[in-house]
Amino acid sequence: MKNSFKTIKGTKDILPIESQQWRELENNIHNIMKNWGYGEIRTPIFESTGLFERSVGTDSDIVSKQMYTFMDQSKTSLTLRPELTAPVMRAYVQHNMEREGAMTKLYYIDSLFRQERPQAGRLRQFNQFGAEAIGSPNAEQDAEVISLLCNLLDKLNVKNYELVINSIGSASSRKLYRTALINFLSPFKNDLSNISKKRLSENPLRILDTKDEKEISILSSAPDIMDFLNGEDLKHFEDLKKILSQLGVSYKRDKNLVRGLDYYTKTTFEIINNNLGGQNALCGGGRYDKLVEKIGGKSTPAVGFAAGIERILLSIGKENKINHNKPIIYIVCTTNNTRNTVINLADKFRKNGLSTHFDTLRRSVKAQLREANRLFSTHAIFLGDEELPKESANVKDLDSGEQVSILLKDILSHFKPK
Ligand code: HAM
């Protein structure tokens, strides 16, 4: 029969061969976040559409082109979350978390949805881990978040990444820069793409994000936002750079790094891995001091990041993919007479936390060994007519080929010394 159902474009199944790596990655993230004092938050998959319109911004790519928005049965407009900062801030406000302490540090590992053109490292349902530190306006908090991110990437074995930082200042600094950028770009208007022409009057800073070669070359001599930052914004950025250096975190400044979401103020940053091709941004983040207020809370400064898990896994590469817990034991049943002993032994091993397989298909010894190999088994235990009267089993190390005979009563402690 023809299989007529497949995953939807831009979505993927995570099969057991991969899910183990996902779980290891998630365990590492949970442990590290705990060490850094962040508590896990899980929010619903869908939210009011207005939450994203108000926070991410109606003329961002995410809101204008990529959201999965639908009307439910009661004609309420809902959206599958395309990002998590706004939902986390919605939860912060809704649950009055500011009452619990002056600082709130939250993290998440969850799925998101954006209707983008799928390609390697770009999906329509994808996963992020991220952290949001809510309450401090100071540069040391930005530095803590960035160094948490770099520590995480190091622990996850991500190589060849580069941290890029910038500041887009507060609203007053940006207003001055906006005028300067419009003045600079207006003479080039005819050379700009249609979308950039439109952005020139509406949101000129977004042009800095362009991937168009011609526009990149025009922008190379554009005014630098650093020259427009007010004293406080400039001090914040200088402090951040100093603390990063003090922590041994290397970075590069990119004057065009503005990020495509409307809520950012002051610090913006990304982690890039140039070996990944088109989708080279592994993580993105920044400060968003006005967001809590914008969605109905008290004025509260905050800073955070999110990392794309699929892109992290692509950059970790194949060599780290299989890191099975050891040992993995395959109990080989060589005769019908030992079948019940095999079942009981497997049960005992599993109850004692050992990863154990045995065959329920009653296959030949050769087929069982082939299966043991497919399952990355480290040891095979042979139980047959010869071993049964001696109440022993032959244990073979499948890496070295060494074989020893062990009494059944001692076999658990052979694998799990007390
Ligand atoms: P973002 O830059 O939109 O920021 O996404 C963060 C990361 O999610 C990206 O660097 C990328 O690795 C991954 N990502 C984004 N879209 C896709 C996709 N279609 N397929 C696979 N991976 C993708 C945010 O989401 C902000 N909320 C980050 C933040 C947190 N800012 C402050 N706090």
Side-chain angles (χ1 to χ4, degrees), residues 8-218:
I8 306 298
K9 187 174 172 186
T11 68
K12 75 188 274 283
D13 298 316
I14 299 166
L15 303 178
I17 185 85
E18 272 182 286
S19 59
Q20 185 161 341
Q21 199 194 13
W22 278 77
R23 193 164 338 173
E24 276 168 23
L25 184 121
E26 287 163 6
N27 287 344
N28 271 322
I29 296 165
H30 288 302
N31 288 338
I32 296 164
M33 291 292 190
K34 195 169 145 236
N35 290 348
W36 287 67
Y38 285 71
E40 187 185 8
I41 181 162
R42 301 183 192 196
T43 63
I45 277 177
F46 52 83
E47 298 270 356
S48 297
T49 303
L51 173 67
F52 301 109
E53 289 171 342
R54 202 181 303 170
S55 54
V56 180
T58 42
D59 58 24
S60 64
D61 283 350
I62 293 178
V63 175
S64 65
K65 298 190 225 157
Q66 298 168 355
M67 294 207 305
Y68 283 97
T69 296
F70 59 98
M71 286 290 177
D72 74 358
Q73 301 290 339
S74 48
K75 304 273 175 288
T76 306
S77 178
L78 302 175
T79 294
L80 299 186
R81 57 182 179 214
E83 66 99 52
L84 264 151
T85 308
V88 169
M89 291 310 120
R90 193 260 317 128
Y92 174 80
V93 174
Q94 181 176 338
H95 302 287
N96 296 311
M97 287 191 200
E98 83 284 355
R99 288 199 198 143
E100 290 160 28
M103 272 309 296
T104 305
K105 292 179 174 184
L106 301 169
Y107 80 95
Y108 44 81
I109 308 178
D110 253 318
S111 293
L112 301 108
F113 307 86
R114 294 184 193 174
Q115 190 158 1
E116 295 194 77
R117 199 165 41 78
Q119 61 183 78
R122 189 161 71 192
L123 290 112
R124 291 183 169 181
Q125 177 175 347
F126 62 99
N127 294 273
Q128 285 184 345
F129 63 85
E132 315 289 352
I134 313 153
S136 168
N138 300 319
E140 51 268 40
Q141 188 55 67
D142 306 47
E144 191 220 40
V145 160
I146 293 174
S147 89
L148 160 62
L149 173 57
C150 295
N151 265 273
L152 262 160
L153 295 179
D154 293 341
K155 286 266 158 50
L156 298 176
N157 241 331
V158 180
K159 305 264 190 292
N160 304 316
Y161 67 81
E162 187 174 52
L163 167 67
V164 193
I165 62 169
N166 193 22
S167 172
I168 58 166
S170 49
S172 63
S173 302
R174 270 200 307 283
K175 200 167 163 199
L176 296 176
Y177 181 59
R178 187 178 187 276
T179 309
L181 196 59
I182 294 175
N183 290 342
F184 170 80
L185 284 171
S186 294
F188 299 102
K189 193 166 179 184
N190 291 336
D191 299 314
L192 299 181
S193 62
N194 287 341
I195 180 84
S196 292
K197 276 188 192 126
K198 196 162 160 262
R199 283 176 175 160
L200 187 57
S201 52
E202 290 167 5
N203 195 349
L205 266 73
R206 295 257 354 253
I207 302 176
L208 299 175
D209 238 0
T210 184
K211 302 277 178 281
D212 181 306
E213 290 297 332
K214 197 165 169 195
E215 292 179 351
I216 293 174
S217 128
I218 294 171

Side-chain angles (χ1 to χ4, degrees), residues 302-320:
V303 56
F305 74 82
I309 297 184
E310 286 81 359
R311 292 188 197 173
I312 299 273
L313 289 175
L314 279 177
S315 57
I316 291 174
K318 289 198 174 54
E319 66 272 25
N320 288 306

Side-chain angles (χ1 to χ4, degrees), residues 363-381:
R363 285 176 289 186
S364 67
V365 170
K366 202 170 157 199
Q368 290 180 64
L369 286 172
R370 220 180 295 126
E371 185 70 356
N373 188 36
R374 194 182 74 79
L375 296 170
F376 305 101
S377 306
T378 55
H379 294 80
I381 299 180

Side-chain angles (χ1 to χ4, degrees), residues 253-267:
R253 184 183 165 240
D254 176 354
K255 72 181 177 103
N256 292 335
L257 181 68
V258 286
R259 311 258 307 128
L261 299 90
D262 274 5
Y263 47 63
Y264 291 112
T265 51
K266 297 185 182 164
T267 312

Side-chain angles (χ1 to χ4, degrees), residues 267-294:
T267 312
T268 52
F269 58 89
E270 278 186 356
I271 298 272
I272 306 293
N273 180 343
N274 284 319
N275 299 341
L276 282 190
Q279 302 310 308
N280 65 357
L282 288 184
C283 322
R287 177 163 279 286
Y288 49 93
D289 289 345
K290 299 291 168 205
L291 180 55
V292 175
E293 201 176 341
K294 209 165 179 186

